[in-house]
Amino acid sequence: MPKLSRRAAALTLLATPALAQSWAPTQPIRVIIPFTPGGTMDTVVRPVQQILQQELGQPIIMEHRPGAATVIGTQEVMRAPADGHTMIMIANSFAANITLRPSMPYNSLRDFAPLAMATVVPHVLVVHPSVARDFPAFIAAGKRPGANLAFGSYGIGTSNHLGGEQFRELTGIGATHVPYNGAPQAYTDLIGGRLQFMFANLPDVIQPAQAGQMRPIAISAERRVRELPDVPTMAELGFPLVLSDSWFGLISRADVPAPARARLEAAWLAALTRPEVKGRLEELGFTVLAKPGAEFGTEIRRYADTYAQVIRANNIRVE
């Protein structure tokens, strides 16, 4: 993952100092969380909440609006006034929904403005220990005549589902997707041998890997991670195009005035680059990116384009 630098926040402030300082919030700021309380998004927001309040001079309120694969929460942002007091934290599903849910009541790329890409959790390719000892052996097993490995995911259209389908296409292995309603049962079935492999969030695999219950053989990240120093990246293994991870970022309505967007962006970048925040999030398994809005917008489009190809090629549909 890219090395974090305070330059991200500093450059944003230097580029538009007057713009960022010409707006100040006048009421509490809502961060819409489009999932139920207690999830990973809460874990990302909590370490920065107090710092954001200091930066912006107003309370930061997490407001959970789950349902309809994040559409309900996103609609709430569209209904809120375009005054800078409401934003939403999004994940990979925002990019996937563009193709998976074409009838959404908003245009994801036109109606929203990226503010900051906060964190990412790389996905680890893990296999049941009986399948293979390493990546080459796994690919060989998947290419045997009649091979049909079962791979799990957190649900249809999730980032590790789409990453798994893309991986299957790029490697040419024989595999079938088995969707689950979240991670716990998928991990249980992988450990039990009912699944042969899956792409899993890095923090979730450390303990079972140490216990020998699952074997990490590759990681979808730009460089190796300290938690699994012996596990090679997909690029090292010859598959740099595999795109499988879980990221989180902030967006607002596109028609929020530029000074408000600039101030919110600068506040988030300043909070994310604080050593105590970075350290805490890294302890929890996140890589802090702190990418400004323009870079985040480029990333959203990159993921949306890749996901669209995978979804269409595999005729993936959601109910």
Side-chain angles (χ1 to χ4, degrees):
M1 290 294 130
K3 185 177 180 180
L4 179 68
S5 168
R6 284 180 170 270
R7 291 183 71 247
L11 287 175
T12 298
L13 286 169
L14 288 171
T16 55
L19 194 64
Q21 299 303 319
S22 63
W23 177 84
T26 58
Q27 62 192 59
I29 295 174
R30 296 193 297 160
V31 179
I32 303 297
I33 307 293
F35 295 100
T36 54
T40 308
M41 284 188 173
D42 293 17
T43 306
V44 174
V45 175
R46 284 198 185 99
V48 304
Q49 203 167 4
Q50 184 175 356
I51 297 171
L52 284 174
Q53 290 178 173
Q54 294 169 355
E55 292 279 338
L56 296 169
Q58 290 289 341
I60 306 297
I61 301 171
M62 283 196 295
E63 187 173 312
H64 296 86
R65 294 294 182 101
T70 74
V71 173
I72 289 176
T74 311
Q75 278 186 285
E76 176 61 22
V77 179
M78 290 302 298
R79 284 193 290 264
D83 57 8
H85 292 93
T86 303
M87 67 187 87
I88 184 170
M89 177 164 274
I90 62 169
N92 306 60
S93 55
F94 183 85
N97 280 346
I98 294 171
T99 302
L100 282 174
R101 296 175 172 83
S103 60
M104 291 184 298
Y106 49 79
N107 183 300
S108 299
L109 298 179
R110 182 194 64 212
D111 295 339
F112 298 96
L115 299 174
M117 191 174 191
T119 63
V120 68
V121 175
H123 286 172
V124 181
L125 173 59
V126 288
V127 302
H128 187 269
S130 67
V131 176
R133 293 194 59 82
D134 55 25
F135 186 85
F138 171 70
I139 297 300
K143 288 187 173 182
R144 291 191 188 112
N148 187 24
L149 306 176
F151 78 93
S153 79
Y154 308 147
I156 295 174
T158 55
S159 58
N160 68 334
H161 170 209
L162 300 179
E165 294 286 11
Q166 185 194 33
F167 176 77
R168 178 187 57 76
E169 291 177 350
L170 292 171
T171 58
I173 63 172
T176 298
H177 174 231
V178 182
Y180 289 81
N181 185 22
Q185 189 57 49
Y187 294 151
T188 297
D189 282 2
L190 178 67
I191 292 169
R194 289 174 288 277
L195 294 175
Q196 281 72 62
F197 75 97
M198 68 181 294
F199 283 83
N201 286 330
L202 171 63
D204 298 341
V205 309
I206 304 302
Q207 198 165 12
Q210 291 173 341
Q213 296 173 311
M214 58 178 70
R215 180 170 291 141
I217 60 172
I219 187 165
S220 182
E222 290 187 4
R223 57 179 61 89
R224 296 192 187 199
V225 296
R226 69 174 187 276
E227 295 90 344
L228 299 171
D230 297 326
V231 177
T233 67
M234 285 291 175
E236 289 179 76
L237 295 165
F239 297 96
L241 297 180
V242 173
L243 193 64
S244 193
D245 54 30
S246 298
W247 51 255
F248 302 99
L250 287 304
I251 61 173
S252 70
R253 282 179 51 163
D255 54 353
V256 168
R261 297 200 312 270
R263 182 73 184 277
L264 295 172
E265 175 182 311
W268 269 97
L269 296 179
L272 288 165
T273 52
R274 290 275 286 266
E276 65 271 29
V277 171
K278 177 178 179 289
R280 177 56 181 156
L281 289 171
E282 287 182 344
E283 286 176 6
L284 297 170
F286 296 95
T287 296
V288 178
L289 298 176
K291 290 187 177 182
E295 291 183 33
F296 187 23
T298 298
E299 288 295 283
I300 291 173
R301 289 187 290 273
R302 179 169 73 95
Y303 278 80
D305 290 344
T306 299
Y307 288 162
Q309 293 171 7
V310 174
I311 290 165
R312 289 166 182 156
N314 294 279
N315 196 29
I316 297 171
R317 301 179 184 277
V318 294
E319 297 297 330

